[in-house]
Amino acid sequence: LKIKSRKMVLYLGICFTVVIVLYIVVEVIRFKVNKELTTIKFNKIIEKENLPIITLTNGETSFNFLVDSGSNASHFDINAMPLLEEYSKTNITSVGFVGAQSHDENTYEWINIPVYSNKQRYSEDFCLLDLKIPFKAIEEESGIVLHGILGVPFLKKYRFALDFEELKMYMK
Protein backbone atom coordinates (compact mmCIF):
# COMPACT_ATOMS: atom_id res chain seq x y z
CA LEU A 1 0.00 0.00 0.00
CA LYS A 2 2.84 2.42 0.81
CA ILE A 3 4.56 1.77 -2.55
CA LYS A 4 1.33 2.52 -4.46
CA SER A 5 0.70 5.76 -2.54
CA ARG A 6 4.33 6.90 -3.09
CA LYS A 7 3.94 6.23 -6.81
CA MET A 8 0.64 8.11 -6.75
CA VAL A 9 2.24 11.13 -5.02
CA LEU A 10 5.12 11.04 -7.53
CA TYR A 11 2.66 10.76 -10.42
CA LEU A 12 0.56 13.70 -9.10
CA GLY A 13 3.71 15.77 -8.58
CA ILE A 14 4.81 15.16 -12.17
CA CYS A 15 1.32 16.03 -13.46
CA PHE A 16 1.26 19.21 -11.39
CA THR A 17 4.70 20.23 -12.69
CA VAL A 18 3.65 19.60 -16.30
CA VAL A 19 0.51 21.73 -15.80
CA ILE A 20 2.57 24.60 -14.32
CA VAL A 21 5.11 24.46 -17.17
CA LEU A 22 2.32 24.41 -19.78
CA TYR A 23 0.62 27.38 -18.10
CA ILE A 24 3.88 29.38 -18.18
CA VAL A 25 4.45 28.52 -21.86
CA VAL A 26 0.90 29.59 -22.77
CA GLU A 27 1.28 32.88 -20.88
CA VAL A 28 4.61 33.65 -22.59
CA ILE A 29 3.07 32.97 -26.00
CA ARG A 30 0.01 35.09 -25.15
CA PHE A 31 2.28 37.96 -24.04
CA LYS A 32 4.31 37.80 -27.27
CA VAL A 33 1.18 37.68 -29.45
CA ASN A 34 -0.39 40.61 -27.57
CA LYS A 35 2.81 42.62 -27.87
CA GLU A 36 2.91 41.99 -31.62
CA LEU A 37 -0.74 42.99 -31.97
CA THR A 38 -0.20 46.19 -30.01
CA THR A 39 2.97 47.26 -31.81
CA ILE A 40 2.74 49.67 -34.72
CA LYS A 41 5.82 50.12 -36.89
CA PHE A 42 6.77 53.50 -38.26
CA ASN A 43 6.88 53.74 -42.06
CA LYS A 44 10.38 53.49 -43.53
CA ILE A 45 10.21 57.20 -44.33
CA ILE A 46 11.24 57.98 -40.76
CA GLU A 47 14.78 56.91 -41.62
CA LYS A 48 14.98 59.41 -44.46
CA GLU A 49 12.96 62.33 -43.18
CA ASN A 50 13.09 61.77 -39.40
CA LEU A 51 9.30 61.77 -39.22
CA PRO A 52 7.39 59.22 -37.14
CA ILE A 53 4.64 58.31 -39.61
CA ILE A 54 2.35 55.31 -39.17
CA THR A 55 -0.33 53.86 -41.41
CA LEU A 56 -3.71 52.88 -39.97
CA THR A 57 -6.83 51.71 -41.77
CA ASN A 58 -10.47 52.72 -41.68
CA GLY A 59 -12.50 50.20 -43.64
CA GLU A 60 -10.49 49.29 -46.72
CA THR A 61 -8.63 52.62 -46.88
CA SER A 62 -5.17 53.28 -45.46
CA PHE A 63 -4.40 56.60 -43.80
CA ASN A 64 -0.98 58.01 -42.90
CA PHE A 65 -0.61 59.82 -39.58
CA LEU A 66 2.25 61.87 -38.22
CA VAL A 67 2.79 60.85 -34.58
CA ASP A 68 3.28 64.09 -32.65
CA SER A 69 4.08 63.76 -28.94
CA GLY A 70 3.97 67.56 -28.69
CA SER A 71 0.40 68.00 -29.96
CA ASN A 72 -2.36 68.43 -27.37
CA ALA A 73 -4.96 67.02 -29.82
CA SER A 74 -5.27 64.68 -32.78
CA HIS A 75 -6.14 66.25 -36.12
CA PHE A 76 -7.63 64.92 -39.34
CA ASP A 77 -7.47 66.59 -42.75
CA ILE A 78 -10.99 67.63 -43.69
CA ASN A 79 -10.07 67.02 -47.35
CA ALA A 80 -9.70 63.28 -46.60
CA MET A 81 -13.15 62.92 -45.00
CA PRO A 82 -14.76 61.47 -48.18
CA LEU A 83 -12.31 58.54 -47.90
CA LEU A 84 -13.58 57.56 -44.44
CA GLU A 85 -15.91 54.57 -44.34
CA GLU A 86 -16.72 54.86 -40.65
CA TYR A 87 -16.81 57.87 -38.31
CA SER A 88 -19.18 59.69 -35.96
CA LYS A 89 -19.58 63.25 -34.77
CA THR A 90 -18.58 64.05 -31.19
CA ASN A 91 -19.86 66.49 -28.54
CA ILE A 92 -16.51 68.27 -28.34
CA THR A 93 -17.03 71.88 -29.35
CA SER A 94 -13.62 73.45 -28.79
CA VAL A 95 -10.20 72.86 -27.38
CA GLY A 96 -7.45 75.43 -27.14
CA PHE A 97 -4.42 74.65 -29.24
CA VAL A 98 -1.06 75.85 -28.06
CA GLY A 99 1.80 76.07 -30.52
CA ALA A 100 5.29 77.51 -30.52
CA GLN A 101 4.03 80.79 -31.95
CA SER A 102 0.37 81.00 -31.04
CA HIS A 103 -2.57 80.05 -28.86
CA ASP A 104 -5.84 79.22 -30.64
CA GLU A 105 -9.23 79.18 -28.92
CA ASN A 106 -11.46 78.87 -32.01
CA THR A 107 -14.34 76.39 -32.28
CA TYR A 108 -13.77 73.40 -34.54
CA GLU A 109 -15.75 70.39 -35.67
CA TRP A 110 -14.67 67.09 -34.13
CA ILE A 111 -15.27 63.51 -35.25
CA ASN A 112 -14.47 60.13 -33.78
CA ILE A 113 -12.71 57.76 -36.16
CA PRO A 114 -12.10 54.07 -35.52
CA VAL A 115 -8.76 53.01 -37.01
CA TYR A 116 -7.07 49.63 -37.17
CA SER A 117 -3.57 48.18 -37.11
CA ASN A 118 -2.82 44.43 -36.90
CA LYS A 119 -6.55 43.79 -36.37
CA GLN A 120 -6.43 45.97 -33.22
CA ARG A 121 -9.12 48.65 -33.07
CA TYR A 122 -8.31 52.14 -31.84
CA SER A 123 -10.81 54.96 -31.61
CA GLU A 124 -9.78 58.60 -31.49
CA ASP A 125 -11.43 62.02 -31.44
CA PHE A 126 -10.00 64.18 -34.21
CA CYS A 127 -10.27 67.91 -34.74
CA LEU A 128 -11.12 68.54 -38.40
CA LEU A 129 -8.75 71.01 -40.05
CA ASP A 130 -7.73 71.86 -43.58
CA LEU A 131 -4.24 70.36 -43.50
CA LYS A 132 -3.67 70.27 -47.26
CA ILE A 133 -1.17 73.16 -47.30
CA PRO A 134 0.80 72.19 -44.14
CA PHE A 135 1.09 68.57 -45.36
CA LYS A 136 2.03 69.53 -48.94
CA ALA A 137 5.71 70.13 -48.09
CA ILE A 138 5.99 66.67 -46.50
CA GLU A 139 4.32 65.09 -49.52
CA GLU A 140 6.67 66.90 -51.94
CA GLU A 141 9.75 65.87 -49.93
CA SER A 142 8.81 62.28 -49.14
CA GLY A 143 6.05 61.26 -51.51
CA ILE A 144 3.85 60.29 -48.54
CA VAL A 145 0.38 61.79 -48.34
CA LEU A 146 -0.49 62.57 -44.73
CA HIS A 147 -4.09 62.45 -43.57
CA GLY A 148 -3.74 63.48 -39.96
CA ILE A 149 -1.79 63.89 -36.76
CA LEU A 150 -1.98 61.57 -33.76
CA GLY A 151 -1.36 63.65 -30.66
CA VAL A 152 -0.78 63.08 -26.97
CA PRO A 153 -4.41 62.12 -26.16
CA PHE A 154 -4.11 59.07 -28.46
CA LEU A 155 -0.69 58.12 -27.06
CA LYS A 156 -1.92 58.45 -23.46
CA LYS A 157 -5.25 56.70 -24.04
CA TYR A 158 -3.58 53.57 -25.41
CA ARG A 159 -0.38 53.93 -23.33
CA PHE A 160 1.88 53.98 -26.38
CA ALA A 161 5.62 54.40 -25.96
CA LEU A 162 7.72 55.57 -28.90
CA ASP A 163 10.85 53.57 -29.74
CA PHE A 164 12.98 55.44 -32.24
CA GLU A 165 15.74 52.83 -32.25
CA GLU A 166 13.41 50.07 -33.45
CA LEU A 167 11.19 52.51 -35.38
CA LYS A 168 7.93 51.52 -33.71
CA MET A 169 5.48 52.43 -31.02
CA TYR A 170 4.07 49.88 -28.63
CA MET A 171 1.63 49.66 -25.74
CA LYS A 172 3.19 49.62 -22.32
Side-chain angles (χ1 to χ4, degrees), residues 68-75 94-99 102-105 110 124-125 127 149-154 156:
D68 186 351
S69 63
S71 179
N72 69 333
S74 293
H75 307 280
S94 69
V95 165
F97 300 115
V98 179
S102 66
H103 180 81
D104 184 356
E105 285 289 341
W110 289 74
E124 177 66 359
D125 293 328
C127 175
I149 298 170
L150 290 173
V152 171
F154 179 83
K156 282 177 66 175

Side-chain angles (χ1 to χ4, degrees), residues 132-147:
K132 188 175 187 176
I133 293 172
F135 286 169
K136 188 153 187 71
I138 294 170
E139 181 181 354
E140 288 172 357
E141 272 299 305
S142 67
I144 288 193
V145 176
L146 287 177
H147 301 97

Side-chain angles (χ1 to χ4, degrees), residues 108-124:
Y108 296 96
E109 185 177 356
W110 289 74
I111 60 173
N112 181 278
I113 305 173
V115 289
Y116 297 83
S117 175
N118 298 325
K119 298 181 183 177
Q120 267 314 103
R121 182 182 195 274
Y122 306 99
S123 181
E124 177 66 359

Side-chain angles (χ1 to χ4, degrees), residues 8-111:
M8 183 64 81
V9 169
L10 182 62
Y11 176 74
L12 289 174
I14 291 171
C15 288
F16 180 74
T17 304
V18 168
V19 167
I20 295 296
V21 168
L22 286 174
Y23 175 78
I24 292 170
V25 168
V26 167
E27 287 302 309
V28 167
I29 291 170
R30 187 178 304 163
F31 174 77
K32 286 184 177 184
V33 168
N34 283 340
K35 188 159 182 149
E36 286 175 17
L37 288 176
T38 58
T39 296
I40 302 174
K41 294 186 179 197
F42 295 133
N43 293 353
K44 291 293 182 192
I45 195 67
I46 189 172
E47 295 171 11
K48 181 180 170 195
E49 303 295 333
N50 289 320
L51 296 174
I53 298 171
I54 62 169
T55 301
L56 303 172
T57 59
N58 174 276
E60 297 296 317
T61 308
S62 295
F63 294 93
N64 296 314
F65 293 93
L66 176 66
V67 178
D68 186 351
S69 63
S71 179
N72 69 333
S74 293
H75 307 280
F76 192 79
D77 186 359
I78 199 163
N79 300 295
M81 274 202 59
L83 302 173
L84 289 172
E85 292 180 31
E86 184 184 349
Y87 70 91
S88 59
K89 295 193 180 243
T90 68
N91 322 2
I92 303 171
T93 53
S94 69
V95 165
F97 300 115
V98 179
Q101 298 177 345
S102 66
H103 180 81
D104 184 356
E105 285 289 341
N106 291 319
T107 301
Y108 296 96
E109 185 177 356
W110 289 74
I111 60 173

Side-chain angles (χ1 to χ4, degrees), residues 1-12:
L1 187 64
K2 286 186 179 183
I3 294 174
K4 285 186 179 180
S5 59
R6 282 186 185 168
K7 284 183 180 179
M8 183 64 81
V9 169
L10 182 62
Y11 176 74
L12 289 174

